Amino acid sequence: MSDTLSRRKLIKTGLVAAAGASGLAVAARIASRYGLIPPDHRGIYGIGETLTYATQRLLTSHDSLAREFSRSDISSIAPVNGEPPEYEPYLRHFAEGFASWQLTIDGLVAHPASFSLEDLKRLPSRTQITHLACEEGWSYIAQWTGVPLSYVLNLVGVLPQAKYVVFFAFDKKFDSLDMFDAWHPQTLLAYSMNGQDLPKRHGAPLRVRVPRQLGFKSKKYLTHIEVTDKVTNIGSGQGSSSPDKGYSWYGGI
Ligand SMILES: Nc1nc2c(c(=O)[nH]1)N[C@H]1C(S)=C(S)[C@@H](COP(=O)(O)O)O[C@H]1N2
Ligand SMILES: [Mo]
C-alpha cells in the first residue's frame, strides 16, 4: 500500500469512527485539519455537508471516472432545468450565432485569456456519453463534446494557491468546483450535445459538464471562469448560487 493510500485510509477510518463514537463535531474537526471543508459548511446542514464531502474525497481515488455509455444508451428525451435567459446580452449573442461571445478566464492564473467559440472548438476535444441526474428526480444520458477544462487550465497556467474554479453564467447563476473536479479528465467545457451545437435550452454556447456531480453543478450559458483561493467574497459566500435555494455546494455522485 502506498504512503498516500495508507494516510487516506487512516484519515477515513478516523473520520467514520469519530462520527459514530463522539459525534459529528469531532469528525468535522478532523475534516478541517485535512482541509476537507466545503464552502457551505456553516448553517444547519453544515456538519453533514462536511462529512459527505470529506468522506467522498477520501474514498474516491483521483482518477476514478464516471461511467461512460454507448451510443445506443442515449436518451430520446432530454429534460431541461433552468430556462434560457430571454434577455440581453444573451439574446443578442444568440441572434449573432455567438460570433462575438467570448469566455474569459482570469483570477489566479499566469496568463488570463479570452476564448471565442471558434478558439475553443480548435482545441483538443473529448467526447463522452454520460448520465446527467437532476436532484429533482429525473435523469438522462447524452453525448457531450468539448474541451477538457484541464486543458484550458494548463493553457492559462493555474497558480499554486488556487483552490476553486468558479463558473459564471448569463442567467446570474454561478457555481464552483474544487481543484480535484476541475482537473478531472471528464470535466468538460462542452459546446456540443448529441453531435449538434449545444441547443439553447441545454446551455448554448458553452456549459460545463461535471459527470461526477449532480446536474446543478453543470452550469449552462457560461460567460466567465475565475480561478480563486476563496469563494467567501462571491454571492452569499457559499461557492455557488445553489446553496441559497437549499442545495449543497458539493453534489458528488
Ligand atoms: N446557468 C444555469 N445552469 C444550469 C441551470 C440553470 O438554471 N442555469 N440548471 C442546472 C440544473 S438544476 C440541472 S439538473 C442541469 C440540467 O441540464 P439540462 O437543462 O441541460 O438538462 O443544468 C444545470 N445548469
Ligand atoms: Mo437539477
Side-chain angles (χ1 to χ4, degrees), residues 118-138:
E118 290 310 312
D119 292 337
L120 292 171
K121 286 181 175 177
R122 273 194 293 268
L123 299 178
S125 71
R126 177 180 171 116
T127 294
Q128 62 197 21
I129 301 175
T130 52
H131 188 233
L132 187 153
C134 176
E135 63 301 327
E136 289 177 0
W138 47 264

Side-chain angles (χ1 to χ4, degrees), residues 1-9:
M1 194 187 286
S2 75
D3 277 0
T4 23
L5 201 64
S6 52
R7 177 177 168 271
R8 287 158 67 92
K9 198 169 171 203

Side-chain angles (χ1 to χ4, degrees), residues 79-82 134 140 169 171 173 202 207 215-216 218-220:
V80 163
N81 194 325
C134 176
Y140 63 89
D171 62 359
K173 296 200 170 147
H202 290 288
R207 77 182 300 169
F216 67 88
S218 290
K219 284 288 179 282
K220 310 191 274 191

Side-chain angles (χ1 to χ4, degrees), residues 34-222:
Y34 291 96
L36 293 168
I37 300 288
D40 59 343
H41 64 279
R42 293 179 196 84
I44 46 170
Y45 299 115
I47 290 174
E49 293 306 340
T50 297
L51 264 186
T52 311
Y53 176 62
T55 314
Q56 271 257 12
R57 278 291 173 264
L58 294 165
L59 282 174
T60 329
S61 87
H62 279 246
D63 50 7
S64 82
L65 297 176
R67 182 172 169 198
E68 294 195 20
F69 297 81
S70 61
R71 289 186 143 275
S72 58
D73 297 316
I74 293 175
S75 308
S76 49
I77 295 176
V80 163
N81 194 325
E83 291 300 323
E86 297 294 349
Y87 39 80
E88 300 298 349
Y90 185 79
L91 285 179
R92 177 174 58 83
H93 284 295
F94 183 79
E96 292 172 1
F98 299 104
S100 66
W101 171 90
Q102 291 206 315
L103 177 77
T104 302
I105 306 191
D106 55 17
L108 294 175
V109 299
H111 317 287
S114 293
F115 299 88
S116 70
L117 195 52
E118 290 310 312
D119 292 337
L120 292 171
K121 286 181 175 177
R122 273 194 293 268
L123 299 178
S125 71
R126 177 180 171 116
T127 294
Q128 62 197 21
I129 301 175
T130 52
H131 188 233
L132 187 153
C134 176
E135 63 301 327
E136 289 177 0
W138 47 264
S139 70
Y140 63 89
I141 291 171
Q143 175 184 280
W144 306 93
T145 301
V147 50
L149 176 63
S150 62
Y151 189 90
V152 175
L153 292 178
N154 274 323
L155 280 183
V156 295
V158 170
L159 300 181
Q161 60 272 40
K163 285 183 75 177
Y164 303 98
V165 175
V166 190
F167 303 87
F168 296 93
F170 277 107
D171 62 359
K172 305 283 178 241
K173 296 200 170 147
F174 72 95
D175 218 311
S176 59
L177 298 175
D178 64 6
M179 298 317 290
F180 176 105
D181 272 336
W183 287 114
H184 192 277
Q186 289 173 315
T187 300
L188 295 188
L189 295 176
Y191 45 72
S192 163
M193 178 187 187
N194 296 335
Q196 312 282 331
D197 280 349
L198 198 56
K200 192 181 200 187
R201 284 162 43 94
H202 290 288
L206 189 77
R207 77 182 300 169
V208 59
R209 266 298 287 135
V210 192
R212 297 268 316 257
Q213 296 205 41
L214 287 170
F216 67 88
K217 299 299 282 190
S218 290
K219 284 288 179 282
K220 310 191 274 191
Y221 320 115
L222 297 186

